[in-house]
Amino acid sequence: MSDRGQNGGAATTGTERRPVGVVIASAVAGFRTLARQHVELAKTEVAEAASVRGQGVGMMAAAAVVIMYAIGFIAAAGAAALALVWPVWAAILTVAIVMIVVALALVLVGRRVIRNAPPPAMQTQETLKEDARWAKRLIER
């Protein structure tokens, strides 16, 4: 009986050792594949999350439009109520002035919030600075 396999080569017993280079190359290829799969999974998850959030934003925008109409009808009702006591033009003008005052107050508060907001990507900037310091120390060695 021969120690030859079906292809004419030496039969493997499962205890043969592969060269270190082959093992390392196989491990590197496995890590690359794993990394690619993780990136693809992350892309898919981000796309799904963006889609769901996009739907939510669309619904909130629709709600904002409906609220704007509601505010208009409330203002019209207020003007109609004042028109029972005052002339129609005075009632509409009064409601318009009140709405302008509210809008100006919102603008002023919004402007203050924007001025006091932290700069964007502050944590990213700090991380990049820290990485640059680390790389500089590494190069100086």
Side-chain angles (χ1 to χ4, degrees), residues 104-118:
L104 287 174
L106 289 172
V107 166
L108 293 175
V109 170
R111 193 170 89 181
R112 185 178 331 128
V113 168
I114 289 172
R115 283 185 178 169
N116 294 336

Side-chain angles (χ1 to χ4, degrees), residues 3 15 18 25 39 41 55 78 83 92 101 103 108 115 122 141:
D3 277 354
T15 59
R18 296 188 299 173
V39 168
L41 178 62
Q55 290 174 347
I92 292 173
V101 168
L108 293 175
R115 283 185 178 169
M122 191 63 162
R141 288 184 183 176

Side-chain angles (χ1 to χ4, degrees), residues 32-140:
R32 283 184 183 161
T33 302
L34 184 62
R36 264 188 248 114
Q37 289 173 344
H38 280 296
V39 168
E40 289 302 315
L41 178 62
K43 285 180 183 178
T44 302
E45 289 177 341
V46 167
E48 288 174 1
S51 173
V52 170
R53 283 182 174 81
Q55 290 174 347
V57 167
M59 289 180 202
M60 292 177 89
V65 170
V66 171
I67 287 174
M68 287 175 43
Y69 276 104
I71 290 171
F73 281 111
I74 289 170
L82 283 176
L84 296 174
V85 181
W86 295 344
V88 174
W89 67 268
I92 292 173
L93 183 62
T94 302
V95 170
I97 290 172
V98 168
M99 292 181 78
I100 288 172
V101 168
V102 169
L104 287 174
L106 289 172
V107 166
L108 293 175
V109 170
R111 193 170 89 181
R112 185 178 331 128
V113 168
I114 289 172
R115 283 185 178 169
N116 294 336
M122 191 63 162
Q123 185 175 1
T124 301
Q125 290 175 1
E126 289 300 319
T127 303
L128 288 173
K129 288 177 185 177
E130 185 178 310
D131 290 347
R133 287 190 295 265
W134 171 79
K136 197 179 212 180
R137 284 193 306 258
L138 193 65
I139 290 171
E140 290 175 351

